[in-house]
Amino acid sequence: MPFLLAAIVPAALITCWGIIYIIDPYKYEKSYYLYLGVYGVVNTYVFFVSIQKMLYKNLEINGWSPFMFNIILFILLILGMNWMNWKALYSETYYKLQQKSSIPVGWASIAGASYILGQIILSFVYTDSGISILMIVCLTLLSFFTAFLSINIHRYFFIRKHMDRALAIYPEFGLPKDERHGNEKKKRKRKKKKKK
């Protein structure tokens, strides 16, 4: 029950926050990046709690040292992802990657992850705790993805600080849906009147 409560409360709060983006995603477009970043942190935390539950309940590990070690890893994961994003952003790494038409990094990482998972399955699936270890590894891999989403917190504050740049690229950013389409219709009507 303590593990369940520790995971379900933040998960419920982030789900309630997400409802506003279902109701009116265009109106709240500015804050969506903040939501996505916090969503990444919360989900990484939920995976962290799930891993602790498996370690302490399924694998029957005792003591505080594994828990403290995992907290340090959790913090390093979140901070590491955001530091990597910051470095990539300001060293123009993202821009350089966008200029390339095809980057084989994705396929290479999928192949590497498949190999690792295959080895884990062969090594642990036939032991008593093999399924728990496999679940922990899968949750750890998912944690990398959700931790990566946390970089959107920085993106949100960057957009807020440089709103003029965002509007120069995307003038309808943050406008409600009817105003976006309304602006397009007005422009078309003006063009038709000028032609007449």
Side-chain angles (χ1 to χ4, degrees):
M1 186 58 72
F3 290 107
L4 179 65
L5 290 174
I8 205 165
V9 171
L13 291 173
I14 200 73
T15 303
C16 291
W17 182 5
I19 290 170
I20 66 168
Y21 302 105
I22 296 169
I23 295 168
D24 197 348
Y26 294 96
K27 185 178 178 182
Y28 301 105
E29 188 176 16
K30 291 178 189 175
S31 66
Y32 177 73
Y33 293 102
L34 179 63
Y35 167 76
L36 196 58
V38 175
Y39 175 84
V41 173
V42 167
N43 276 283
T44 307
Y45 165 76
V46 169
F47 290 143
F48 164 78
V49 172
S50 301
I51 290 168
Q52 300 317 298
K53 183 262 178 191
M54 289 184 183
L55 288 173
Y56 283 93
K57 295 294 179 183
N58 298 31
L59 300 178
E60 298 178 353
I61 291 173
N62 296 313
W64 283 96
S65 55
F67 179 72
M68 296 306 294
F69 181 71
N70 280 314
I71 283 179
I72 292 166
L73 287 177
F74 169 75
I75 294 167
L76 287 175
L77 176 62
I78 297 294
L79 293 177
M81 284 290 182
N82 284 277
W83 178 81
M84 184 182 69
N85 171 66
W86 186 84
K87 288 289 284 183
L89 184 66
Y90 291 104
S91 65
E92 296 186 353
T93 304
Y94 287 142
Y95 177 76
K96 290 171 187 173
L97 289 173
Q98 286 176 346
Q99 299 308 306
K100 295 181 181 180
S101 58
S102 62
I103 303 165
V105 175
W107 291 110
S109 60
I110 290 170
S114 301
Y115 175 75
I116 291 165
L117 282 173
Q119 290 299 321
I120 291 164
I121 291 167
L122 290 173
S123 302
F124 297 112
V125 81
Y126 296 108
T127 63
D128 293 337
S129 58
I131 292 172
S132 295
I133 292 168
L134 183 62
M135 289 294 292
I136 288 169
V137 171
C138 289
L139 288 172
T140 304
L141 291 174
L142 283 171
S143 297
F144 281 98
F145 172 71
T146 54
F148 180 75
L149 291 178
S150 70
I151 68 170
N152 285 286
I153 295 171
H154 175 263
R155 188 173 291 175
Y156 166 75
F157 287 109
F158 184 86
I159 290 170
R160 280 196 64 181
K161 189 176 179 180
H162 305 284
M163 196 61 183
D164 53 336
R165 291 188 197 177
L167 290 172
I169 296 166
Y170 186 39
E172 294 184 343
F173 182 74
L175 290 177
K177 185 179 179 180
D178 56 343
E179 289 184 29
R180 295 177 191 216
H181 294 294
N183 288 341
E184 288 176 15
K185 287 176 184 176
K186 285 176 186 176
K187 287 176 186 175
R188 287 175 191 163
K189 285 179 182 177
R190 285 175 191 166
K191 286 179 182 177
K192 285 179 182 178
K193 285 178 181 178
K194 285 178 182 178
K195 287 178 181 178
K196 288 177 182 178

